[in-house]
Amino acid sequence: MADKKDLSDVRNIGIMAHIDAGKTTTTERILYYTGRSYKIGEVHDGAAVMDWMEQEQERGITITSAATSCTWKSKRINIIDTPGHVDFTVEVERSLRVLDGAIAVFCAVGGVEPQSETVWRQAGKYKIPRIAFINKMDRVGADFARVVAMMEERLGANPVVVQIPVGKESEFEGVIDLIENKMYVFDEETLGQEIIEKDIPDGYRDRSTAAHMVLIEKLADFDDGIMEKFLDDTRVSATEIYRALRTATLNLDLVPVLCGSAFKNKGIQPLLDSIIYYLPSPLDVPPMIGLGKQGEDIIRKADVKETFSALIFKLMSDAFVESLAFIRVYSGILKVGDKVYNPVKKKKEKISKLLRLHANKREEVGSLRAGDIGAVIGLKFSTTGDTLCANGDYIVLESMDFPEPVIGIAIEAKSKADEKKLAETLNKIALEDPSFRISKNEDTGQTIISGMGELHLEVIVDRLLNEFKANANVGKPQVSYKETISATAEGEGKFDQQTGAKGQYGHVVLKVEPLERSAGVVFESLVKDDQIPAEFLDAIEKGIRDSLDAGSLIGYPVTDIKVTLTGGSYVEDESTEMAFGISSAMAIRRATADAEPLLLEPIMNLEIICPDEYLGDMMNDLNSKRAKVIGIETNDGLQVVRAHAPLAQMFGYSTSLRSATQGRANFTMLFEKYDVVPKNRADEIIRKVRGI
């Protein structure tokens, strides 16, 4: 079989949705009907194949993207089941980056829910063709037409219905295929394995004829041949419909809509057919464009004869194996034993093992080819977003942007003996999850771990303690305040000590004055050599800067201050660097205490994307957090609000924003600047720290 034929038989797809729409259940049924699983795993039993992490089974949600591959009608389908919870958006982002097509699963009761909007926007960003599956048609309150209308209204999509349900809620029987004009019923005795083909029931003839005409009418807008037949009132064949619908889907003009009930084993095989009919093979997507050494564009086609190139889209480690790097091969062939080059890290890597993945089970293979998704074991230098290319070649594929973490907690080892293990484990998790960060707060000495939300950090802490068996105490983060001055003042320090035959003498006079925000600490000397020799100036500056590490208010670093050395004296045989260091520390402490010190707090730059109807609730919540709104823009039914808010008020903001907007808003938060804490709030903090 020719390589091109091989590639046209591959589908790399993701399954994406809001939490609890039934993504994982749908994937489990796909694996069962394609013969990949011999029994059906259920999420509610904690037995779903794709939710293999202990934390996923306990919570009944997907946390990490699981990859698998299966075969349907001689086509190989590589599937990534992505999380639906907003805290794990980064998992969806990096999966969509390497996929060619996606199935968006919607709940027939909930319809287009908040995270459905987020993942839809992410898929739009990467120009990924989609098909929609309206799941849970058997549930009370299921409404197929309402969900299709919501797709138009909330997502700005152009859905085209290719199936309509027969019955709903407990009466849901099967589906009518509008292309083949047949009804399909899924036999419950064989768990839906056997499909019974029937004629369209009399009560549904008018409805299916009208829906068929709407389908033809929509396709006529994108296909001249169908337009002619539509105008001439001539019958359009099923083959012509499939061809036109595939082209319109690949061009992102239309989204085919199917329906069913994954839990009741209804509608999955037609969904599998639709993956083959409408979603792209690696040959249907535009060639990959990367950058060469000089920044020039390099094109790589999906072809095994091309030079090898691949993108690492995820790293995964557990307590037992070396790290697994998930890769998408865009061109060429990668074989076990190959040496490859990572142009981002400028390092060579050796390929010791290659795997095809089935959730957490692994099959060793000898090679991965263009269009494949698989994993490499034992890469030493490469991380998420890096490119791998042939040794001697140079191409950097477009990497991924990961949002900054928005919430942090403090963590410390329970004993000195546990410190090394905790640090190693945190680094392991940080390698596999780019939205998780570790930082050391220099002011408080705490290790702060940061993530995308409370659930994200809860899962990480859970893994640390239970999976990696790290002994750690987890607390709350402290805001890193700073101090400054608001007036000019002078200070004098004299150190004169006689110890034995030789004395120690240093004497300085200095002036402090406030500077604008973000200016830092500026030191200047106006003294002449006959007052204080130049060799002592470094010691004086060091004494000043060391003292400014702990201010007179409550011991936070002092910033935005100018210190000018205006006078002093020395004694030839007795003055030492140490004496001048001590005297300058005494002088700066006196001067800053007299210069009307102020407390500064970190201010964050917030960007909140919120649907129109929740703007009022969101703004009330924001105002309660001492935020200043600096701009509001309207964008396609969404309000983009930019604001500055103190970090002290922003812990737990992801939760309060979700509750104010029913989870339909999302936000990014970056450090902006330090600014003065309001007096009443500053007095409260000072009293608390001093224990008054």
Side-chain angles (χ1 to χ4, degrees):
M1 198 185 276
D3 289 327
K4 284 226 181 277
K5 179 83 174 77
D6 284 349
L7 274 177
S8 67
D9 287 345
V10 173
R11 300 288 181 275
N12 289 316
I13 64 154
I15 299 188
M16 58 185 205
H18 184 85
I19 191 167
D20 217 23
K23 275 183 323 307
T24 301
T25 307
T26 304
T27 312
E28 294 297 323
R29 297 312 186 267
I30 286 173
L31 297 180
Y32 179 66
Y33 294 127
T34 56
R36 200 67 168 81
S37 296
Y38 299 105
K39 70 180 185 62
I40 294 174
E42 299 294 8
V43 175
H44 59 270
D45 294 336
V49 174
M50 301 298 275
D51 283 354
W52 55 271
M53 279 172 77
E54 194 180 306
Q55 292 81 1
E56 296 177 309
Q57 291 166 0
E58 279 172 16
R59 292 173 172 83
I61 62 166
T62 302
I63 288 167
T64 182
S65 301
T68 189
S69 56
C70 56
T71 304
W72 182 251
K73 295 188 175 172
S74 78
K75 305 275 195 271
R76 192 172 81 249
I77 304 172
N78 295 320
I79 302 172
I80 296 184
D81 174 27
T82 63
H85 194 285
V86 65
D87 281 9
F88 305 102
T89 303
V90 70
E91 280 288 332
V92 185
E93 181 90 17
R94 60 179 170 187
S95 302
L96 289 173
R97 168 67 180 79
V98 295
L99 293 170
D100 301 328
I103 300 169
V105 179
F106 299 99
C107 170
V109 183
V112 175
E113 295 169 279
Q115 191 63 5
S116 329
E117 295 178 46
T118 307
V119 294
W120 193 269
R121 283 201 292 269
Q122 286 173 308
K125 173 177 157 187
Y126 291 116
K127 296 186 167 51
I128 291 175
R130 283 145 270 181
I131 55 181
F133 180 65
I134 298 175
N135 189 27
K136 303 195 177 185
M137 284 305 305
D138 59 309
R139 289 269 298 274
V140 174
D143 189 336
F144 179 76
R146 173 175 163 269
V147 182
V148 175
M150 285 175 87
M151 285 178 68
E152 286 183 347
E153 192 186 303
R154 286 202 181 163
L155 304 176
N158 192 357
V160 56
V161 173
V162 294
Q163 284 179 352
I164 57 170
V166 176
K168 65 175 186 177
E169 300 178 352
S170 59
E171 306 292 308
F172 178 59
E173 277 182 70
V175 298
I176 291 170
D177 186 315
L178 299 175
I179 302 173
E180 299 288 351
N181 284 315
K182 295 276 183 201
M183 175 178 169
Y184 298 125
V185 176
F186 304 86
D187 180 43
E188 292 185 16
E189 296 283 308
T190 61
L191 293 176
Q193 287 270 36
E194 195 183 320
I195 302 172
I196 302 152
E197 203 176 281
K198 292 184 169 182
D199 287 333
I200 295 169
D202 290 342
Y204 278 84
R205 280 187 188 282
D206 290 349
R207 198 185 307 175
S208 70
T209 305
H212 179 81
M213 287 312 295
V214 171
L215 168 62
I216 300 298
E217 205 174 321
K218 281 208 168 187
L219 285 175
D221 289 341
F222 305 103
D223 187 284
D224 293 342
I226 290 181
M227 173 64 88
E228 275 179 43
K229 290 197 168 186
F230 175 67
L231 294 173
D232 293 346
D233 235 353
T234 313
R235 184 180 166 276
V236 182
S237 71
T239 309
E240 289 172 297
I241 295 174
Y242 285 129
R243 182 184 45 74
L245 194 46
R246 177 175 178 77
T247 305
T249 305
L250 296 184
N251 291 338
L252 307 178
D253 293 324
L254 292 173
V255 179
V257 181
L258 298 93
C259 63
S261 165
F263 184 55
K264 291 287 172 66
N265 311 311
K266 292 175 180 176
I268 300 299
Q269 293 94 326
L271 177 62
L272 278 161
D273 289 339
S274 296
I275 293 170
I276 305 303
Y277 295 155
Y278 311 125
L279 291 181
S281 76
L283 296 175
D284 295 313
V285 294
M288 233 328 145
I289 299 175
L291 294 177
K293 263 187 185 162
Q294 313 302 322
E296 74 280 15
D297 283 353
I298 298 175
I299 293 173
R300 286 275 191 273
K301 290 181 190 146
D303 191 334
V304 291
K305 294 188 180 72
E306 281 264 10
T307 312
F308 165 71
S309 67
L311 183 77
I312 299 171
F313 67 96
K314 176 176 175 166
L315 287 189
M316 197 170 87
S317 57
D318 57 38
F320 311 107
V321 299
E322 324 168 58
S323 70
L324 270 180
F326 286 60
I327 64 167
R328 160 76 192 259
V329 181
Y330 282 103
S331 60
I333 301 177
L334 179 64
K335 295 182 186 138
V336 172
D338 281 357
K339 285 201 170 86
V340 295
Y341 181 60
N342 178 335
V344 180
K345 299 285 190 294
K346 298 184 171 47
K347 298 275 190 185
K348 289 178 183 171
E349 296 270 21
K350 186 158 191 243
I351 306 300
S352 53
K353 258 188 201 172
L354 292 174
L355 306 172
R356 268 202 214 295
L357 298 158
H358 175 46
N360 65 334
K361 296 183 178 66
R362 297 142 191 181
E363 292 166 34
E364 274 197 49
V365 290
S367 66
L368 291 172
R369 303 153 75 82
D372 278 346
I373 288 176
V376 185
I377 282 189
L379 294 181
K380 295 211 163 29
F381 311 105
S382 305
T383 53
T384 300
D386 285 358
T387 301
L388 295 179
C389 60
N391 212 354
D393 188 26
Y394 189 102
I395 179 173
V396 177
L397 302 174
E398 183 199 351
S399 188
M400 291 162 271
D401 295 326
F402 297 113
E404 287 297 314
V406 294
I407 184 167
I409 52 173
I411 191 162
E412 62 180 18
K414 281 192 172 167
S415 69
K416 202 82 182 148
D418 297 322
E419 276 177 12
K420 189 173 177 228
K421 184 170 186 190
L422 178 64
E424 282 171 3
T425 308
L426 286 174
N427 287 331
K428 249 189 183 186
I429 294 174
L431 262 182
E432 68 176 75
D433 183 350
S435 61
F436 168 70
R437 306 284 164 83
I438 312 155
S439 59
K440 188 89 171 168
N441 186 322
E442 298 300 334
D443 307 327
T444 63
Q446 285 180 316
T447 297
I448 305 285
I449 57 172
S450 310
M452 299 305 297
E454 278 101 333
L455 179 63
H456 186 199
L457 288 180
E458 190 186 304
V459 167
I460 282 168
V461 168
D462 201 353
R463 288 188 68 197
L464 266 175
L465 304 180
N466 298 322
E467 184 185 325
F468 291 98
K469 305 283 186 264
N471 288 322
N473 294 319
V474 181
K476 287 181 178 175
Q478 295 175 11
V479 175
S480 181
Y481 293 101
K482 289 196 175 181
E483 296 179 21
T484 191
I485 56 170
S486 58
T488 302
E490 289 198 347
E492 185 176 3
K494 185 183 274 191
F495 183 74
D496 186 2
Q497 195 177 52
Q498 297 303 314
T499 50
K502 193 168 186 281
Q504 294 268 7
Y505 181 88
H507 170 220
V508 298
V509 180
L510 47 81
K511 181 176 81 170
V512 294
E513 51 197 313
L515 293 177
E516 68 278 3
R517 291 294 150 263
S518 305
V521 176
V522 175
F523 173 74
E524 187 185 8
S525 169
L526 298 180
V527 297
K528 295 192 170 73
D529 260 14
D530 58 352
Q531 274 181 292
I532 299 174
E535 71 243 36
F536 295 121
L537 291 183
D538 283 350
I540 290 170
E541 185 176 353
K542 186 176 185 302
I544 288 167
R545 288 186 184 275
D546 287 351
S547 289
L548 289 177
D549 281 347
S552 59
L553 270 181
I554 45 174
Y556 283 103
V558 181
T559 188
D560 305 340
I561 181 173
K562 182 177 180 184
V563 184
T564 308
L565 181 62
T566 55
S569 59
Y570 82 108
V571 174
E572 191 151 345
D573 291 330
E574 295 185 357
S575 286
T576 61
E577 287 188 357
M578 187 187 87
F580 272 112
I582 294 169
S583 59
S584 57
M586 290 158 64
I588 193 73
R589 276 200 291 273
R590 287 169 187 156
T592 51
D594 291 343
E596 296 173 24
L598 293 172
L599 199 58
L600 298 175
E601 63 183 342
I603 302 294
M604 309 307 281
N605 189 349
L606 278 176
E607 184 171 291
I608 305 153
I609 299 171
C610 170
D612 290 348
E613 61 264 42
Y614 296 105
L615 184 64
D617 292 340
M618 186 272 288
M619 294 294 276
N620 288 339
D621 179 54
L622 206 52
N623 291 335
S624 72
K625 300 191 182 309
R626 296 195 284 127
K628 284 181 192 152
V629 174
I630 52 174
I632 301 179
E633 285 169 29
T634 303
N635 182 6
D636 217 8
L638 295 167
Q639 299 288 343
V640 181
V641 178
R642 273 180 275 281
H644 288 162
L647 176 62
Q649 304 291 312
M650 298 313 292
F651 293 122
Y653 182 60
S654 45
T655 307
S656 70
L657 179 66
R658 266 178 230 156
S659 53
T661 63
Q662 293 186 14
R664 288 190 55 204
N666 55 47
F667 75 105
T668 53
M669 187 164 78
L670 296 165
F671 171 74
E672 175 68 20
K673 60 179 180 180
Y674 271 90
D675 211 347
V676 178
V677 180
K679 188 170 185 331
N680 57 347
R681 173 97 183 113
D683 291 345
E684 198 183 303
I685 294 164
I686 292 164
R687 278 198 301 274
K688 198 172 172 186
V689 172
R690 289 179 179 170
I692 300 168

